[in-house]
Amino acid sequence: MEQFPGLIPYWVIMVLMMMGLYIVIAHGNLIKKIVGLNVFQVSVFLLYITMAKVEGGTAPILAEGIKLYSNPLPHVLILTAIVVGVATTALGLALVVRIHNAYGTIEDEEIDKLEDQT
Amino acid sequence: MVIAAIAIARIHDLFAVVMLTGIFSLLGAAAYVVMDAVDVAFTEAAVGAGASTVLMLGTLALTTSKERPAPAKNVISALIVVVFTGVVLIYGTLDMPIYGDPMAPIHHHVADHYLGKSSAEVGLPNVVTSVLASYRSYDTLGETFVIFTAAAGVLAILGQSRLPRRHHDQEDSEKGMVSSPEKSKGAST
């Protein structure tokens, strides 16, 4: 535990991640589930960016007189992931609209009930 | 950010939830700036806080903006799963290098090469751009394919509203048709 204060950023991120997971599991509303996925996603991005930070470093843009930069690789990976994340969100929301058209509700349980009736 | 996340979990008015998601993304972007990831912060503020909020508002307009409270049975089992997973994850962080440690292994694999050689090999001052567009351009190509597939998927799902449905009439299907170009535009930003 000697590294205790240095790990707090990771712990905050873990708490955020678990909030996202909780929203996905506990709520029956499909839009709420997608929002939960988004929260989870942003926390994962934060985890990567946290790992890229170097104490005393600056943004990875080369300039005269600066010796220490943060790690650019996680930034690149997350840049890709953000855009892909929005694409998947759009697809999920399209499915929600389609489900609403078909069942008239976006609550998980009501959809189950309607399925049982038929 | 934690407060915003708690509010998202508790509020049942979906419009407020969507707005809070936008705030959550924006706070995330601020955190990226603090941690030196300026390019990521740009993207998050534009795409995460902007485009996805617009997409969600569009979905709310097409569906409904009220949520029923979660059943108690769900809440308890979800809490158990979440607490267990959280404890395991926090146990996992105990082995991680401390925040901002310049000697962490992540900073000494290919990052040194990118930072030291990219201005000679690619010629751009912004290392993130040269890694994205040059060293990892296949990644970016793959990302473009993913976005194309998602846009095609959205069009395929929403373009089919003329199929027989159970509860709704022609009016809703027309709304579905109207929304599809807007969605695909958002997906390709």
Side-chain angles (χ1 to χ4, degrees):
Chain A
M1 290 300 274
E2 74 281 355
Q3 24 167 212
F4 164 72
L7 289 178
I8 288 177
Y10 299 128
W11 294 350
V12 174
I13 290 165
M14 296 307 165
V15 170
L16 282 175
M17 263 191 210
M18 289 308 109
M19 304 271 227
L21 188 61
Y22 172 81
I23 297 173
V24 174
I25 297 175
H27 290 270
N29 186 297
L30 295 176
I31 292 182
K32 198 76 171 265
K33 276 181 197 282
I34 290 179
V35 168
L37 274 182
N38 256 335
V39 171
F40 199 114
Q41 216 174 31
V42 172
S43 337
V44 173
F45 300 162
L46 272 174
L47 178 66
Y48 272 69
I49 301 297
T50 313
M51 289 194 281
K53 170 73 179 160
V54 175
E55 193 72 61
T58 67
I61 297 172
L62 301 176
E64 291 288 322
I66 297 176
K67 283 281 172 293
L68 201 55
Y69 299 100
S70 287
N71 192 342
L73 188 55
H75 298 184
V76 174
L77 299 180
I78 295 312
L79 218 52
T80 312
I82 288 177
V83 179
V84 170
V86 170
T88 49
T89 305
L91 196 59
L93 289 173
L95 280 171
V96 171
V97 171
R98 185 80 186 92
I99 287 170
H100 185 260
N101 278 351
Y103 291 95
T105 174
I106 51 170
E107 298 286 343
D108 219 5
E109 287 185 357
E110 287 174 18
I111 293 171
D112 278 349
K113 256 183 233 157
L114 288 170
E115 278 287 294
D116 288 343
Q117 281 167 13
T118 52
Chain B
M1 284 185 83
V2 176
I3 295 170
I6 293 173
I8 291 173
R10 301 299 309 167
I11 292 177
H12 292 300
D13 180 8
L14 287 177
F15 182 77
V17 166
V18 168
M19 282 304 153
L20 278 168
T21 318
I23 294 173
F24 184 80
S25 283
L26 211 57
L27 288 173
Y32 298 148
V33 174
V34 172
M35 292 188 281
D36 296 342
V38 280
D39 307 72
V40 184
F42 275 144
T43 317
E44 177 72 35
V47 175
S52 66
T53 309
V54 170
L55 288 177
M56 286 192 186
L57 285 179
T59 314
L60 286 189
L62 290 173
T63 58
T64 167
S65 62
K66 280 280 168 284
E67 189 209 8
R68 291 192 319 165
K73 175 175 60 95
N74 268 8
V75 169
I76 293 167
S77 57
L79 271 181
I80 293 170
V81 171
V82 162
V83 169
F84 177 73
T85 322
V87 168
V88 170
L89 280 176
I90 287 178
Y91 175 71
T93 63
L94 292 183
D95 278 342
M96 287 180 68
I98 66 168
Y99 174 70
D101 180 11
M103 295 316 291
I106 181 179
H107 302 311
H108 297 286
H109 183 52
V110 286
D112 287 336
H113 177 92
Y114 290 155
L115 285 171
K117 303 263 176 64
S118 73
S119 78
E121 286 177 358
V122 185
L124 289 174
N126 189 339
V127 184
V128 173
T129 312
S130 53
V131 175
L132 184 77
S134 176
Y135 296 105
R136 295 197 147 260
S137 48
Y138 281 117
D139 254 15
T140 311
L141 181 66
E143 174 203 347
T144 318
F145 278 130
V146 170
I147 295 166
F148 175 74
T149 315
V154 169
L155 284 177
I157 291 166
L158 290 180
Q160 284 188 338
S161 318
R162 292 193 189 282
L163 291 179
R165 271 168 287 103
R166 292 191 203 178
H167 296 281
H168 274 253
D169 45 18
Q170 196 59 38
E171 190 191 329
D172 263 333
S173 81
E174 280 166 9
K175 278 189 198 161
M177 298 291 282
V178 168
S179 82
S180 46
E182 175 210 333
K183 294 250 183 267
S184 59
K185 205 164 54 184
S188 57
T189 25

